[in-house]
Amino acid sequence: MESNLLLAIFVLLAATVLLVPLAKWAGLGTILGYLVAGILIGPYGLQLVSDSEVVRSVAEFGVVMMLFLIGLEVDADELWRMRHQVIGLGLSQMVATSVVLAVVFNLVGFAWPAAVVVGLALAMSSTAIAMQSVAQRNITKTDTGRGSLAVLLVQDVSVIPILAAIPLLAGMSGTPVEALGEEVLEAVDNPFDWWVALGLVGAFLLALAGSRFVIRPFLMPWIARAKVPEAFTAFALALVIGAALAAESFHLSPALGAFLGGVLLADSEYRHELESNLEPFKGLLLGLFFISVGMSIAFSVVIENPLMVIALVIALTGIKMAVLFGLASFFRMHIAERLLLAVLLSQAGEFAFVVLQFARTAGNLSGPEVELLTVVVALSMAMTPFLLFLYDRLWAPRLHSASTPAAKPPGPKDIDGRGKVMVLGYGRFGQIVT
């Protein structure tokens, strides 16, 4: 199958067309449909497509596009207003969840250095699943949407110190220096390069100046005046890829770079044009990412250790939900929004795959341990649509009804339909309202 690229693409698209609408019709959400499609056609299903890593490497660009589009909706002022949530909610979640998970995995039988690595890896949540669910529910501007974004931003930034700490933890676990790879040895020699931080600040200032004085006043209007739709689409894709490459050059998350690129263009008059051009690519590539997650679930590991896998998935999901629910209580969020935030971020994230593989290379974790944890990560992602389904059908109605006053104050008895209305602003939207 891998030798025939067209056939592999056809299988992926056909599975999407057949299973995703079915899952949507059943009320389970589109994400579960993609996961089921990946399980069905993957190496542990019908084996129609077996190289999930290639599919995931392509599909991760969908996550990058999604963060760019989210950045277009969040301007710099709003990002500054979120600083308390970023520090208070995001940083506290990362630290508290990592500590609790490290203790749990040490009790399970992992050595302390390995348990710390696992705790850090699994403390991160899935940007793709959480923000896709937020966008589908149209709650980006709510406390839940902002809280999810704040936590995910901290987690994306945390990838750098986590990868730098893995070789140091490998040395603490007694791994011989000769067994470490070249990349790991380089990280041990110089785990924190301060020039990277200075270069990152300089790159951000350069990007800010470029967007303010070059891209928005000259380049974007010039391309728009040409009235060539494919040119503007190519420009939008180039912006996303350029922002991702710039972040990757500083060993940052490409998704974080794309998000900052979107923030810099949030107040541009061409923002909606960028969104309309990138939305179809984002949806399809995100679907491929979820399919790749379904393909990566190794059911042979589940069959060999069913109780261990189930226990770890339940423990991981329960711990993350408890920590998030508790932290959200300090921000005085509505109880329904607290629970929704906890459900949205209850799974392990896509960066866990990267961290676990790097830990395997460094000698922190063995091959069977990484295989087990990879299955736990994938199954925790697959659980999120079910938890959202339970939230919508069982928990949310009770929580909202419990917090609603028994008697609402009466409204006006008579409404005069001859009142006057003042419309401030007579642009396109004002004309439509009028």
Side-chain angles (χ1 to χ4, degrees), residues 204-225:
F204 181 78
L205 295 176
L206 184 63
L208 179 63
S211 65
R212 181 76 62 180
F213 301 110
V214 179
I215 295 178
R216 284 159 53 180
F218 299 108
L219 190 56
M220 296 176 76
W222 178 70
I223 297 175
R225 282 194 298 268

Short mmCIF file of all heavy atoms in Angstrom, two decimals, residues 204-225:
data_model
loop_
_atom_site.label_atom_id
_atom_site.label_comp_id
_atom_site.label_asym_id
_atom_site.label_seq_id
_atom_site.Cartn_x
_atom_site.Cartn_y
_atom_site.Cartn_z
N PHE A 204 10.99 37.82 17.34
CA PHE A 204 9.62 38.30 17.54
C PHE A 204 9.51 39.79 17.20
O PHE A 204 8.55 40.23 16.56
CB PHE A 204 9.18 38.05 18.97
CG PHE A 204 7.78 38.49 19.26
CD1 PHE A 204 6.69 37.73 18.86
CD2 PHE A 204 7.54 39.69 19.92
CE1 PHE A 204 5.39 38.14 19.11
CE2 PHE A 204 6.25 40.11 20.18
CZ PHE A 204 5.17 39.34 19.78
N LEU A 205 10.50 40.57 17.64
CA LEU A 205 10.48 42.01 17.31
C LEU A 205 10.61 42.22 15.81
O LEU A 205 9.95 43.11 15.24
CB LEU A 205 11.62 42.72 18.05
CG LEU A 205 11.50 42.75 19.59
CD1 LEU A 205 12.73 43.41 20.20
CD2 LEU A 205 10.22 43.48 20.01
N LEU A 206 11.45 41.42 15.15
CA LEU A 206 11.60 41.53 13.70
C LEU A 206 10.30 41.16 12.99
O LEU A 206 9.88 41.83 12.03
CB LEU A 206 12.73 40.62 13.23
CG LEU A 206 13.08 40.68 11.74
CD1 LEU A 206 13.57 42.08 11.36
CD2 LEU A 206 14.15 39.64 11.40
N ALA A 207 9.64 40.08 13.47
CA ALA A 207 8.36 39.69 12.88
C ALA A 207 7.30 40.76 13.10
O ALA A 207 6.47 41.05 12.22
CB ALA A 207 7.90 38.36 13.46
N LEU A 208 7.31 41.38 14.29
CA LEU A 208 6.36 42.45 14.58
C LEU A 208 6.56 43.63 13.64
O LEU A 208 5.60 44.19 13.08
CB LEU A 208 6.50 42.88 16.04
CG LEU A 208 5.60 44.01 16.52
CD1 LEU A 208 4.15 43.60 16.43
CD2 LEU A 208 5.96 44.42 17.94
N ALA A 209 7.83 44.01 13.45
CA ALA A 209 8.11 45.12 12.53
C ALA A 209 7.76 44.77 11.09
O ALA A 209 7.21 45.58 10.35
CB ALA A 209 9.59 45.50 12.64
N GLY A 210 8.06 43.53 10.69
CA GLY A 210 7.75 43.13 9.33
C GLY A 210 6.26 43.10 9.05
O GLY A 210 5.80 43.54 7.98
N SER A 211 5.47 42.60 10.01
CA SER A 211 4.02 42.57 9.80
C SER A 211 3.42 43.97 9.82
O SER A 211 2.47 44.25 9.09
CB SER A 211 3.36 41.70 10.87
OG SER A 211 3.52 42.29 12.15
N ARG A 212 3.98 44.84 10.66
CA ARG A 212 3.42 46.18 10.82
C ARG A 212 3.79 47.11 9.67
O ARG A 212 2.95 47.92 9.22
CB ARG A 212 3.93 46.77 12.14
CG ARG A 212 3.42 48.17 12.46
CD ARG A 212 2.00 48.15 12.95
NE ARG A 212 1.85 47.40 14.18
CZ ARG A 212 0.67 47.24 14.79
NH1 ARG A 212 -0.41 47.77 14.28
NH2 ARG A 212 0.60 46.52 15.91
N PHE A 213 5.01 46.97 9.14
CA PHE A 213 5.49 47.96 8.17
C PHE A 213 5.69 47.41 6.76
O PHE A 213 5.93 48.19 5.84
CB PHE A 213 6.81 48.57 8.66
CG PHE A 213 6.71 49.25 10.00
CD1 PHE A 213 7.30 48.70 11.12
CD2 PHE A 213 5.99 50.42 10.13
CE1 PHE A 213 7.20 49.31 12.36
CE2 PHE A 213 5.89 51.06 11.36
CZ PHE A 213 6.49 50.49 12.49
N VAL A 214 5.62 46.09 6.58
CA VAL A 214 5.85 45.52 5.25
C VAL A 214 4.66 44.70 4.78
O VAL A 214 4.07 44.98 3.73
CB VAL A 214 7.13 44.64 5.24
CG1 VAL A 214 7.34 44.03 3.85
CG2 VAL A 214 8.35 45.46 5.64
N ILE A 215 4.29 43.68 5.55
CA ILE A 215 3.27 42.74 5.08
C ILE A 215 1.90 43.41 4.98
O ILE A 215 1.23 43.34 3.94
CB ILE A 215 3.20 41.51 6.02
CG1 ILE A 215 4.52 40.73 5.95
CG2 ILE A 215 2.04 40.61 5.64
CD1 ILE A 215 4.57 39.54 6.88
N ARG A 216 1.47 44.08 6.04
CA ARG A 216 0.12 44.64 6.05
C ARG A 216 -0.04 45.87 5.17
O ARG A 216 -1.02 45.96 4.43
CB ARG A 216 -0.28 44.93 7.50
CG ARG A 216 -0.64 43.66 8.26
CD ARG A 216 -0.56 43.81 9.74
NE ARG A 216 -1.33 44.93 10.26
CZ ARG A 216 -1.38 45.24 11.54
NH1 ARG A 216 -0.72 44.51 12.42
NH2 ARG A 216 -2.08 46.25 11.97
N PRO A 217 0.89 46.84 5.19
CA PRO A 217 0.64 48.03 4.36
C PRO A 217 1.00 47.86 2.89
O PRO A 217 0.46 48.57 2.04
CB PRO A 217 1.51 49.10 5.02
CG PRO A 217 2.62 48.35 5.65
CD PRO A 217 2.04 47.03 6.07
N PHE A 218 1.89 46.93 2.55
CA PHE A 218 2.37 46.84 1.16
C PHE A 218 2.06 45.49 0.51
O PHE A 218 1.42 45.44 -0.55
CB PHE A 218 3.89 47.12 1.11
CG PHE A 218 4.28 48.47 1.59
CD1 PHE A 218 4.94 48.63 2.81
CD2 PHE A 218 3.98 49.61 0.84
CE1 PHE A 218 5.30 49.89 3.26
CE2 PHE A 218 4.34 50.87 1.29
CZ PHE A 218 5.00 51.02 2.50
N LEU A 219 2.52 44.40 1.13
CA LEU A 219 2.45 43.11 0.45
C LEU A 219 1.02 42.60 0.30
O LEU A 219 0.60 42.20 -0.79
CB LEU A 219 3.30 42.09 1.24
CG LEU A 219 3.52 40.74 0.55
CD1 LEU A 219 4.14 40.92 -0.82
CD2 LEU A 219 4.41 39.84 1.42
N MET A 220 0.23 42.63 1.39
CA MET A 220 -1.13 42.12 1.31
C MET A 220 -2.02 42.95 0.39
O MET A 220 -2.76 42.38 -0.43
CB MET A 220 -1.73 42.03 2.73
CG MET A 220 -1.00 41.03 3.62
SD MET A 220 -1.62 40.98 5.31
CE MET A 220 -3.12 40.05 5.08
N PRO A 221 -1.99 44.28 0.44
CA PRO A 221 -2.79 45.03 -0.53
C PRO A 221 -2.36 44.80 -1.98
O PRO A 221 -3.20 44.76 -2.89
CB PRO A 221 -2.57 46.50 -0.11
CG PRO A 221 -2.16 46.42 1.31
CD PRO A 221 -1.39 45.16 1.44
N TRP A 222 -1.05 44.62 -2.19
CA TRP A 222 -0.56 44.39 -3.56
C TRP A 222 -1.09 43.08 -4.12
O TRP A 222 -1.52 43.00 -5.27
CB TRP A 222 0.97 44.40 -3.55
CG TRP A 222 1.58 44.13 -4.89
CD1 TRP A 222 1.58 44.94 -5.98
CD2 TRP A 222 2.27 42.93 -5.28
NE1 TRP A 222 2.23 44.34 -7.04
CE2 TRP A 222 2.66 43.10 -6.63
CE3 TRP A 222 2.59 41.76 -4.62
CZ2 TRP A 222 3.36 42.13 -7.33
CZ3 TRP A 222 3.30 40.78 -5.32
CH2 TRP A 222 3.67 40.98 -6.66
N ILE A 223 -1.08 42.03 -3.28
CA ILE A 223 -1.60 40.74 -3.74
C ILE A 223 -3.11 40.81 -3.92
O ILE A 223 -3.67 40.23 -4.87
CB ILE A 223 -1.22 39.63 -2.73
CG1 ILE A 223 0.30 39.48 -2.66
CG2 ILE A 223 -1.86 38.30 -3.11
CD1 ILE A 223 0.77 38.51 -1.61
N ALA A 224 -3.81 41.53 -3.03
CA ALA A 224 -5.27 41.64 -3.14
C ALA A 224 -5.68 42.40 -4.40
O ALA A 224 -6.67 42.04 -5.04
CB ALA A 224 -5.83 42.33 -1.89
N ARG A 225 -4.91 43.44 -4.77
CA ARG A 225 -5.26 44.22 -5.97
C ARG A 225 -5.09 43.40 -7.24
O ARG A 225 -5.72 43.69 -8.26
CB ARG A 225 -4.40 45.49 -6.04
CG ARG A 225 -4.86 46.59 -5.11
CD ARG A 225 -4.20 47.91 -5.47
NE ARG A 225 -2.76 47.86 -5.34
CZ ARG A 225 -2.10 48.19 -4.24
NH1 ARG A 225 -2.77 48.61 -3.17
NH2 ARG A 225 -0.79 48.12 -4.19
#
